[in-house]
Amino acid sequence: MNTVIEKPFNWIKPHAQASNWLIAGPCSAESPNQVFETFTQLKQLNVNAFRVGIWKPRTRPNSFEGLGADALVWVKEAAVSCNKPVMVEVASPKHVEACLKAGIDMLWVGARTTVSPFMVQELADSLKGVSIPVFVKNPVNPDLELWIGAIERFAQANIEKIAGIHRGFSTYEKLAYRNNPHWEIPIELRRRMPHLPIICDPSHIAGIAHLVADVAQQALNLGFDGLMIESHKNPSAALSDAQQQLLPNELVEIIEKLVIRNQNCSENQAFFGLQAIRKEIDAIDSDIISLLAQRLSFAKELADIKLKNNLTIYQPERWQEIVTNKFLAADKLGLPKEFLLKIWQTIHHQSINTQAMFFDELKKAHNS
Ligand code: PEP
Ligand code: MN
């Protein structure tokens, strides 16, 4: 039973230019002046809330790990002076306690915390009976269940205002972005929890300032409920995430250029146009399903021949031949090779599994 799906989580109020919510602020609080100046410059954007890190989860020791609880007082003061709410990352009940005491308005749970059900549960327990919005970043690894599990833990602690933050996923190999967006994961989260607001953090996905705008637009094209973007009054001097932070003025320029798209296509021309094409797509999909069923129906015969001849179920040469053929077809039809490879990996895997199941069945039948 999913406890979250039924809850009314549509609590985020729209921001005109960022589809819904716009949260901005520095990666870390470094000094009262840096926070005050950055917040003041960001005020022109009419952000819904400021963000700022007080305790920084750094990958390696001996880097700047945040100023700690003492900073909360002047962070809150800077936010109040701009008449805006402020949100801070928490990773332990001690952080929660300090934030609540300082009147921090909203909390977020970082990617390195979401991975740990123990830590998430401790946070959720420390928030029982407290009414404060909690934003849950995805875990560092691409594991949707872990993300959903963390959201459920807060929901079960009766936190009513919960949102997800998509900040991409770590990869061993360094790709164009710091964190791989794996857009299919937040899309699936939306399907599983349709009432959960999900915002995107393009700063931590991009990892570099000049790619932030592009990632933000990709998020809006997919209908995210808002954006959380890092901004610093002097990014090159930032003590954490210097490469990805934007000057407040640069952020203003980006936000002005973002194109907001409609998620709902009511009964207008676009709706009827889409409907006609979707009908054709549905027909093709149902042909694909019939063909897949037909393809899989050969598994038993294959298993029978392989078993009788004491052959392995997986035949590397045959698999290589399938891949080569698909790549030739991809070239011919102008389709991306990785796309066909992924599909046939899934189909082949299913065929192998089905044959293995028949192997067991046939063996039992022979033995009895
Ligand atoms: C941050 O927001 O500065 C941060 C540490 O984020 P994440 O948990 O996404 O790495
Ligand atoms: Mn950061």
Side-chain angles (χ1 to χ4, degrees), residues 27 51 56 178 204 230 240-241 244:
C27 179
R51 60 147 283 151
K56 299 305 298 178
R178 176 181 176 188
H204 287 88
E230 285 188 341
S240 61
D241 288 349
Q244 71 194 31

mmCIF file of all heavy atoms in Angstrom, residues 27 51 56 178 204 230 240-241 244, ligand 2:
data_model
loop_
_atom_site.group_PDB
_atom_site.id
_atom_site.type_symbol
_atom_site.label_atom_id
_atom_site.label_comp_id
_atom_site.label_asym_id
_atom_site.label_seq_id
_atom_site.Cartn_x
_atom_site.Cartn_y
_atom_site.Cartn_z
ATOM 1 N N CYS A 27 25.271 27.861 -2.668
ATOM 2 C CA CYS A 27 25.484 26.475 -2.233
ATOM 3 C C CYS A 27 25.659 26.500 -0.725
ATOM 4 O O CYS A 27 24.956 25.795 -0.005
ATOM 5 C CB CYS A 27 26.718 25.907 -2.933
ATOM 6 S SG CYS A 27 27.078 24.221 -2.438
ATOM 7 N N ARG A 51 17.647 29.386 -0.779
ATOM 8 C CA ARG A 51 18.286 28.168 -0.296
ATOM 9 C C ARG A 51 19.675 28.528 0.218
ATOM 10 O O ARG A 51 20.280 29.481 -0.259
ATOM 11 C CB ARG A 51 18.421 27.098 -1.388
ATOM 12 C CG ARG A 51 19.241 27.511 -2.608
ATOM 13 C CD ARG A 51 20.018 26.353 -3.241
ATOM 14 N NE ARG A 51 21.213 26.014 -2.474
ATOM 15 C CZ ARG A 51 21.737 24.816 -2.418
ATOM 16 N NH1 ARG A 51 21.208 23.833 -3.090
ATOM 17 N NH2 ARG A 51 22.824 24.591 -1.703
ATOM 18 N N LYS A 56 27.696 21.095 5.102
ATOM 19 C CA LYS A 56 27.935 20.636 3.736
ATOM 20 C C LYS A 56 28.487 19.218 3.693
ATOM 21 O O LYS A 56 29.544 18.951 4.281
ATOM 22 C CB LYS A 56 28.923 21.577 3.020
ATOM 23 C CG LYS A 56 28.460 23.008 2.893
ATOM 24 C CD LYS A 56 27.105 23.147 2.218
ATOM 25 C CE LYS A 56 27.065 22.646 0.799
ATOM 26 N NZ LYS A 56 25.691 22.765 0.233
ATOM 27 N N ARG A 178 27.653 16.907 -14.504
ATOM 28 C CA ARG A 178 28.214 16.392 -13.244
ATOM 29 C C ARG A 178 27.416 15.179 -12.768
ATOM 30 O O ARG A 178 27.959 14.195 -12.265
ATOM 31 C CB ARG A 178 28.166 17.510 -12.190
ATOM 32 C CG ARG A 178 28.611 17.095 -10.819
ATOM 33 C CD ARG A 178 28.508 18.275 -9.859
ATOM 34 N NE ARG A 178 28.835 17.899 -8.499
ATOM 35 C CZ ARG A 178 28.667 18.699 -7.449
ATOM 36 N NH1 ARG A 178 28.204 19.920 -7.621
ATOM 37 N NH2 ARG A 178 28.981 18.291 -6.251
ATOM 38 N N HIS A 204 23.044 21.168 -9.756
ATOM 39 C CA HIS A 204 23.798 19.961 -9.419
ATOM 40 C C HIS A 204 23.797 18.940 -10.537
ATOM 41 O O HIS A 204 24.658 18.065 -10.581
ATOM 42 C CB HIS A 204 23.301 19.365 -8.089
ATOM 43 C CG HIS A 204 23.732 20.185 -6.918
ATOM 44 N ND1 HIS A 204 23.002 21.239 -6.448
ATOM 45 C CD2 HIS A 204 24.863 20.141 -6.154
ATOM 46 C CE1 HIS A 204 23.644 21.804 -5.427
ATOM 47 N NE2 HIS A 204 24.773 21.152 -5.230
ATOM 48 N N GLU A 230 21.480 27.341 -7.840
ATOM 49 C CA GLU A 230 22.491 27.952 -6.979
ATOM 50 C C GLU A 230 22.993 29.269 -7.555
ATOM 51 O O GLU A 230 23.302 29.360 -8.747
ATOM 52 C CB GLU A 230 23.673 26.987 -6.798
ATOM 53 C CG GLU A 230 23.345 25.841 -5.859
ATOM 54 C CD GLU A 230 24.548 24.983 -5.501
ATOM 55 O OE1 GLU A 230 25.574 25.015 -6.222
ATOM 56 O OE2 GLU A 230 24.470 24.258 -4.491
ATOM 57 N N SER A 240 32.270 26.306 -1.968
ATOM 58 C CA SER A 240 31.810 25.001 -2.454
ATOM 59 C C SER A 240 31.075 25.235 -3.774
ATOM 60 O O SER A 240 30.473 26.293 -3.973
ATOM 61 C CB SER A 240 30.887 24.327 -1.428
ATOM 62 O OG SER A 240 29.741 25.102 -1.198
ATOM 63 N N ASP A 241 31.129 24.251 -4.639
ATOM 64 C CA ASP A 241 30.453 24.311 -5.943
ATOM 65 C C ASP A 241 30.671 25.629 -6.700
ATOM 66 O O ASP A 241 29.743 26.199 -7.281
ATOM 67 C CB ASP A 241 28.948 24.034 -5.778
ATOM 68 C CG ASP A 241 28.683 22.562 -5.457
ATOM 69 O OD1 ASP A 241 29.630 21.742 -5.582
ATOM 70 O OD2 ASP A 241 27.544 22.222 -5.093
ATOM 71 N N GLN A 244 29.598 25.839 -10.576
ATOM 72 C CA GLN A 244 28.213 25.752 -11.062
ATOM 73 C C GLN A 244 27.334 26.915 -10.613
ATOM 74 O O GLN A 244 26.190 27.020 -11.023
ATOM 75 C CB GLN A 244 27.583 24.424 -10.627
ATOM 76 C CG GLN A 244 27.286 24.332 -9.138
ATOM 77 C CD GLN A 244 26.982 22.917 -8.691
ATOM 78 O OE1 GLN A 244 27.499 21.955 -9.241
ATOM 79 N NE2 GLN A 244 26.127 22.767 -7.688
HETATM 80 MN MN MN B 2 25.920 22.741 -3.931
#
